[in-house]
Amino acid sequence: MGIGFACALLAGSAHASVTIGGTRVVYPLEQREVTVKLDNDSHTPSLVQVWMDDGNANAKPGEVKVPFVITPPIFRMDASKSQTLRVMYSGEALPQDRESIYWLNVLDIPPKANAAADVSSLQMAYRTRIKVFVRPAKLPGKPEDAPAQLTWKVAASKDGKGQAVSVSNPTPYYVSFSEVDVQSGGHTFKNEEGGMVAPRASVVLPVTKMNGVPAGAKVHYIAISDYGGAIDGDATLGQ
């Protein structure tokens, strides 16, 4: 007797047949809706389920209350076809002086590789999860200028055995990083995880093997723009 297993994985779009047309979504809060394009790049159909969460990656569809509605929430995508999602703000109160953030989840469930009754099969369901930045109207400044306004300081690492960097964000925009390096004494210490700092908040980013780095060292970062592009910048590490 055949045994089928369905496994939902936190996987990037490189492993999934269904891909999202972008690495992030920006939702201007004054707009009634935004659209997100999906493409099925495979030669087979997929069953697709979409939902949003508020930061809990383990939340199942329907478990988290978010101020957005997505249509269609579940659908079949034929091979080599596209589907447009409509994301609509439902009107609940959100901060007007800074961005808010949610996450869009796309679960891609391809057909079984072998549906024969006497063959065991492993059916993999791939999930792609991207950020949705909710942007109120008339925020001061420009999001692409926010990375240059950050301040950087030496901080203790979480395990207390070395150093990390603390980055503070005085702007109303989220800033995400794909890369952060600290250069000191001919050595380069790398953050290998990326990270994000919320509006008017601070976060400590781990940096591999960083120790004994003084104030005044150089920080090089690559932030991510609204369109997924790179914003290169340099800063001085404070104490």
Side-chain angles (χ1 to χ4, degrees), residues 2-230:
I3 301 175
F5 300 92
C7 300
L9 302 179
L10 278 175
S13 58
H15 302 285
S17 299
V18 175
T19 58
I20 306 174
T23 60
R24 62 207 52 244
V25 176
V26 176
Y27 194 116
L29 202 51
E30 71 274 15
Q31 290 187 195
R32 183 176 180 180
E33 66 178 57
V34 298
T35 58
V36 179
K37 184 183 178 185
L38 305 182
D39 293 294
N40 185 355
D41 298 325
S42 77
H43 299 294
T44 58
S46 283
L47 179 66
V48 180
Q49 185 174 19
V50 297
W51 71 96
M52 290 179 68
D53 69 69
D54 61 358
N56 180 4
N58 296 318
K60 297 178 182 178
E63 288 186 346
V64 178
K65 184 178 180 182
V66 297
F68 294 91
V69 176
I70 305 178
T71 59
I74 187 167
F75 50 92
R76 171 190 166 109
M77 281 192 75
D78 289 328
S80 304
K81 296 295 184 179
S82 299
Q83 173 70 46
T84 298
L85 304 177
R86 297 172 62 203
V87 183
M88 294 166 282
Y89 174 48
S90 56
E92 285 88 340
L94 289 175
Q96 296 298 307
D97 65 341
R98 68 193 68 191
E99 289 184 327
S100 301
I101 189 169
Y102 294 88
W103 277 260
L104 172 66
N105 298 265
V106 175
L107 184 65
D108 169 13
I109 308 172
K112 291 181 181 179
N114 192 328
D118 59 346
V119 177
S120 296
S121 62
L122 180 65
Q123 184 181 11
M124 306 298 289
Y126 297 99
R127 181 170 71 162
T128 305
R129 187 169 177 262
I130 66 171
K131 298 170 183 174
V132 179
F133 298 102
V134 183
R135 184 170 296 163
K138 300 180 181 179
L139 291 182
K142 298 179 180 179
E144 61 268 27
D145 295 334
Q149 299 179 52
L150 305 177
T151 57
W152 302 77
K153 294 182 180 180
V154 177
S157 61
K158 290 183 179 180
D159 61 11
K161 297 180 180 180
Q163 293 176 315
V165 294
S166 173
V167 55
S168 297
N169 179 7
T171 79
Y173 302 98
Y174 279 88
V175 180
S176 298
F177 305 99
S178 61
E179 183 178 322
V180 175
D181 298 340
V182 177
Q183 300 170 13
S184 176
H187 299 283
T188 298
F189 306 94
K190 292 183 175 291
N191 166 279
E192 298 176 343
E193 301 175 10
M196 180 176 68
V197 57
R200 303 191 176 101
S202 299
V203 67
V204 174
L205 301 178
V207 179
T208 302
K209 297 181 180 180
M210 180 172 156
N211 205 351
V213 172
K218 180 183 176 182
V219 177
H220 177 74
Y221 60 81
I222 300 178
I224 305 171
S225 74
D226 282 353
Y227 307 100

